[in-house]
Amino acid sequence: MTIIRRVTVHEGPGGRFESMAIFDEAIAAPRPGLLLFPNVLGTKEADFAYAEKVAALGYTILVVDVFGQGKRTTRADPDMGRYMAELNNDRSLLRDRANAVHALLKSLDEADETRTAAIGFCFGGKCVLDLARSGADIAAGVSFHGVYDAPPFPNAKIAARLLVCHGWDDPIAPPDATVALAKELTDAGCDWQIHAYGRTGHAFTDHDARMPEKGLAYNADADRRSFRAMADFLGDIFG
């Protein structure tokens, strides 16, 4: 196994961005291509490490910068959600940036442009859902402890198959929001699955999430089970 990381600086809607391509050079290219949309903090080492685990399964991963080059926050930042808020307030810009990075993924020599998908965490889960809602020709999308509110404009026809990995006690996506997402996807004719993990809150894949009193905490069982669910789901689609 020879994992490669390659910084990719690119232009996109609203500015310049810095994403990271990650793949196993020992696996023949082109490989199915996956977008990985990070959480509220933007791209970081935890995302690159997760992408390496997925790349070892035979994928080319593009860890996506949707905020803009240099626009990153940390948990110590009192306004750590400021870049996410900009896109929450402009869902058309979020949609356009997600589609732009999908086009970038398809242009990579290491990725098979005819076999692409997207995964995302927290706000990144919203990015996956909005990419699918836009009618993008991704084969599949996986949301981990995502955010489910629909954009304030009609969806295009959803072509992607979707897997939503969800903590049932997530305060950011309570049961009524989860049921609303299921109804939305059903009404859209989408092929969807929701895996709900009991006694599990938000951020269950995030090793640094340590606020159980607020419903945000790492859960090793849900992390392991959701990774396996993703691997099986994508393997069923891409073979």
Side-chain angles (χ1 to χ4, degrees):
M1 185 168 67
T2 307
I3 298 292
I4 302 296
R5 294 185 180 187
R6 187 179 67 226
V7 173
T8 304
V9 177
H10 51 100
E11 300 296 325
R16 177 171 291 184
F17 301 84
E18 185 175 316
S19 300
M20 177 81 78
I22 297 177
F23 51 91
D24 184 351
E25 197 173 44
I27 299 174
R31 312 162 195 88
L34 302 184
L35 299 170
L36 187 156
F37 290 97
N39 67 12
V40 58
L41 304 178
T43 61
K44 54 197 168 298
E45 177 57 33
D47 301 309
F48 306 146
Y50 197 98
E52 289 189 350
K53 288 174 56 181
V54 181
L57 300 177
Y59 299 98
T60 293
I61 319 298
L62 185 66
V63 180
V64 174
D65 173 15
V66 291
F67 295 148
Q69 193 174 32
K71 293 184 176 182
R72 309 289 186 271
T73 58
T74 68
R75 294 175 203 279
D77 191 325
D79 190 17
M80 70 177 185
R82 61 187 181 275
Y83 301 127
M84 177 183 72
E86 292 175 2
L87 293 178
N88 278 332
N89 291 330
D90 191 345
R91 296 288 284 277
S92 60
L93 180 59
L94 171 57
R95 175 198 61 203
D96 293 347
R97 287 184 178 179
N99 276 278
V101 292
H102 184 221
L104 174 63
L105 173 68
K106 293 197 289 185
S107 75
L108 299 180
D109 291 340
E110 297 82 9
D112 182 344
E113 66 177 348
T114 67
R115 297 191 296 163
T116 61
I119 67 175
F121 305 84
C122 182
F123 174 72
K126 174 182 278 191
C127 295
V128 170
L129 293 172
D130 275 13
L131 181 61
R133 288 165 169 144
S134 77
D137 63 344
I138 55 172
V142 184
S143 165
F144 298 90
H145 44 85
V147 185
Y148 304 150
D149 58 302
F153 43 78
N155 294 336
K157 180 175 175 56
I158 298 176
R161 286 181 269 180
L162 296 176
L163 168 64
V164 176
C165 296
H166 172 71
W168 190 249
D169 298 327
D170 189 335
I172 295 173
D176 58 345
T178 308
V179 172
L181 175 66
K183 183 178 186 306
E184 176 197 348
L185 298 179
T186 297
D187 291 346
C190 177
D191 180 341
W192 62 270
Q193 305 175 42
I194 294 178
H195 291 199
Y197 306 109
R199 302 174 60 86
T200 302
H202 192 69
F204 58 78
T205 67
D206 186 345
H207 289 259
D208 296 322
R210 301 188 183 94
M211 293 186 289
E213 72 283 359
K214 295 184 178 180
L216 285 76
Y218 176 70
N219 183 307
D221 289 337
D223 184 20
R224 183 185 68 256
R225 290 165 181 166
S226 63
F227 185 91
R228 184 180 303 149
M230 172 198 66
D232 289 346
F233 179 65
L234 294 177
D236 184 56
I237 292 169
F238 294 123

